[in-house]
Amino acid sequence: MPQSRGSTRREFIKVAMAAAVAPTLGFATQAAEKLSLELPPLPYAYDALEPYIDAETMRLHHQKHHAAYITGLAKAVEQAPELRRKTLEELLLSLSSLPESVRTAVRNHGGGHYNHSLFWQCLAPKAQASPEGPLAAAIARDFGSFDSFKESFTKQAMAIFGSGWAWLVWDAGKLRVETTPNQDTPLGVRKKPILGLDLWEHAYYLRYQWRRAEYIAAFWHVVNWPAVAALFHNLVQRA
Ligand SMILES: [Fe+2]
């Protein structure tokens, strides 16, 4: 059946968004053959996510915390310049084969760079409440319903002891919720994160203090579902 002009346009937007997001995250594209040590600009203003995530938190989080991870990774690259020949994702997938002198720095600072680059893309002002299309269908298939997915994600995010991340990952053909401690990523050879929530206190303490549950509830108001769907689409296309 021929596609309508509307659905063709939606498909174009999805693919264009996937192409825009993928290089930042080090997915295997021609443009991402080398390690990026640039702080990616936010795709919105620091105050764009108010009142759910405040402007000061966003500014410090991006300009100080994310930037510090890149500085830490750059110091590791000074010690081992050959790291530049791999994408960030490739480095994180091959931690055990990296020189021991830089392995922990790449894991922590490289992980921080990767996780935050994804996190910014997962957020948007005036976001829609839930995904549509194939991602919505996959969530319903793998979790029972969107509400069940949110419940599982929230429960696991609340259970993280100390600092870490909650994720929606594509794992060999199935969507799963996972958590990682510190700046570890959930990356695996056949596993990719498509949505992440930063649960370090620096991500929410100014506005929410100890009230992590309120921060998680606010997060659902600013999830950029079209961007998450674009990452999902990109992975399904490559599977
Ligand atoms: Fe963070």
Side-chain angles (χ1 to χ4, degrees):
M1 193 167 66
Q3 284 187 313
S4 68
R5 182 174 295 182
S7 70
T8 303
R9 184 169 179 277
R10 278 195 296 277
E11 198 59 26
F12 171 78
I13 291 170
K14 271 189 201 170
V15 172
M17 195 173 288
V21 170
T24 307
L25 301 177
F27 289 153
T29 65
Q30 194 69 29
E33 289 294 313
K34 290 164 68 180
L35 181 63
S36 168
L37 294 171
E38 301 289 322
L39 181 64
L42 289 189
Y44 37 74
Y46 288 122
D47 63 357
L49 306 180
E50 293 269 13
Y52 304 108
I53 304 179
D54 61 283
E56 186 66 354
T57 294
M58 289 299 294
R59 190 180 65 76
L60 295 172
H61 200 171
H62 181 246
Q63 291 184 359
K64 303 299 180 187
H65 293 279
H66 188 171
Y69 294 120
I70 295 172
T71 302
L73 181 60
K75 284 181 182 165
V77 170
E78 279 175 24
Q79 287 182 54
E82 69 273 17
L83 297 181
R84 269 193 176 277
R85 292 202 292 268
K86 289 189 174 179
T87 66
L88 184 53
E89 181 173 330
E90 287 167 346
L91 287 177
L92 293 167
L93 280 168
S94 59
L95 284 172
S96 61
S97 66
L98 298 182
E100 202 174 342
S101 59
V102 295
R103 194 178 303 155
T104 300
V106 172
R107 178 179 177 175
N108 292 339
H109 297 291
H113 184 19
Y114 181 91
N115 292 341
H116 286 84
S117 297
L118 175 58
F119 184 50
W120 309 134
Q121 302 293 335
C122 291
L123 304 176
K126 299 188 177 76
Q128 64 191 57
S130 58
E132 297 172 348
L135 176 59
I139 287 175
R141 181 195 67 196
D142 294 337
F143 295 95
S145 68
F146 180 66
D147 286 344
S148 296
F149 154 67
K150 275 176 70 175
E151 192 178 322
S152 172
F153 189 100
T154 300
K155 191 174 173 185
Q156 293 193 51
M158 285 299 296
I160 292 171
F161 183 75
S163 299
W165 291 75
W167 305 99
L168 174 62
V169 304
W170 177 245
D171 182 1
K174 193 170 164 56
L175 291 169
R176 300 180 193 280
V177 171
E178 289 195 3
T179 63
T180 55
N182 305 312
Q183 291 298 349
D184 286 356
T185 75
L187 280 172
V189 173
R190 298 181 65 199
K191 186 164 67 172
K192 301 285 183 288
I194 59 171
L195 171 67
L197 175 58
D198 190 341
L199 291 152
W200 285 55
E201 286 188 345
H202 68 228
Y204 63 89
Y205 203 84
L206 286 181
R207 173 149 297 179
Y208 296 101
Q209 291 89 44
W210 67 94
R211 302 186 300 276
R212 179 186 281 187
E214 289 183 24
Y215 165 64
I216 297 170
F219 165 70
W220 296 117
H221 290 275
V222 291
V223 175
N224 185 348
W225 286 114
V228 178
L231 290 172
F232 176 71
H233 174 83
N234 203 32
L235 294 172
V236 171
Q237 292 292 104
R238 292 164 54 201

